[in-house]
Amino acid sequence: QVQLVESGGGLVQAGGSLRLSCAASGRTFSSSSMGWFRQTPGKERDFVAAINYSGRITTYTDSVKGRFTISRDNAKNTVYLQGNSLQPEDTAVYYCAADMANRVADTEGTYDYWGQGTQVTVSS
């Protein structure tokens, strides 16, 4: 199994910024696409952003375009999600996920491995 560990969540005021990190184990990270999803209580887990194995291709859900940036450092086996101008509606548990087939997709079923999540709370 591949282990993914998210970090960097916390409490931030509206308009503030956070940088989430996801550290991956094993030698498969550099050949996998990575995604970020988020979930609030009682709701479905929603797609946020994805990045291909090399970092050359990225995609975002409309609500975070221009505010969030996904990136990766394959030498560190780490993917990042930078969130700026955070809004209360960004409050959620954020999960990173890995797709061993290197697809860049917005559906949960695409991804093979998931982290435990990190809480982001944006206060008004």
Side-chain angles (χ1 to χ4, degrees):
Q1 293 183 331
V2 174
Q3 290 188 335
L4 304 173
V5 181
E6 301 97 332
S7 62
L11 176 65
V12 64
Q13 292 277 347
S17 298
L18 284 174
R19 189 194 194 198
L20 308 183
S21 298
C22 175
S25 66
R27 294 172 288 178
T28 59
F29 175 81
S30 61
S31 60
S32 300
S33 61
M34 300 292 295
W36 285 96
F37 291 75
R38 62 188 182 185
Q39 186 173 31
T40 57
K43 297 183 179 180
E44 296 180 347
R45 187 152 53 187
D46 294 326
F47 173 76
V48 178
I51 188 167
N52 81 323
Y53 78 99
S54 67
R56 297 192 216 103
I57 302 171
T58 60
T59 188
Y60 301 88
T61 192
D62 286 344
S63 63
V64 307
K65 287 180 180 177
R67 300 189 297 118
F68 284 34
T69 302
I70 188 171
S71 62
R72 67 192 298 161
D73 185 341
N74 287 350
K76 296 181 178 179
N77 279 11
T78 301
V79 64
Y80 305 95
L81 185 69
Q82 175 72 39
N84 299 326
S85 300
L86 293 170
Q87 307 298 314
E89 51 264 39
D90 295 317
T91 295
V93 176
Y94 283 71
Y95 299 87
C96 68
D99 173 23
M100 302 297 290
N102 192 37
R103 293 163 288 190
V104 185
D106 61 0
T107 57
E108 291 186 67
T110 299
Y111 296 87
D112 302 297
Y113 301 100
W114 294 82
Q116 83 288 348
T118 186
Q119 176 71 48
V120 172
T121 302
V122 185
S123 65
S124 60

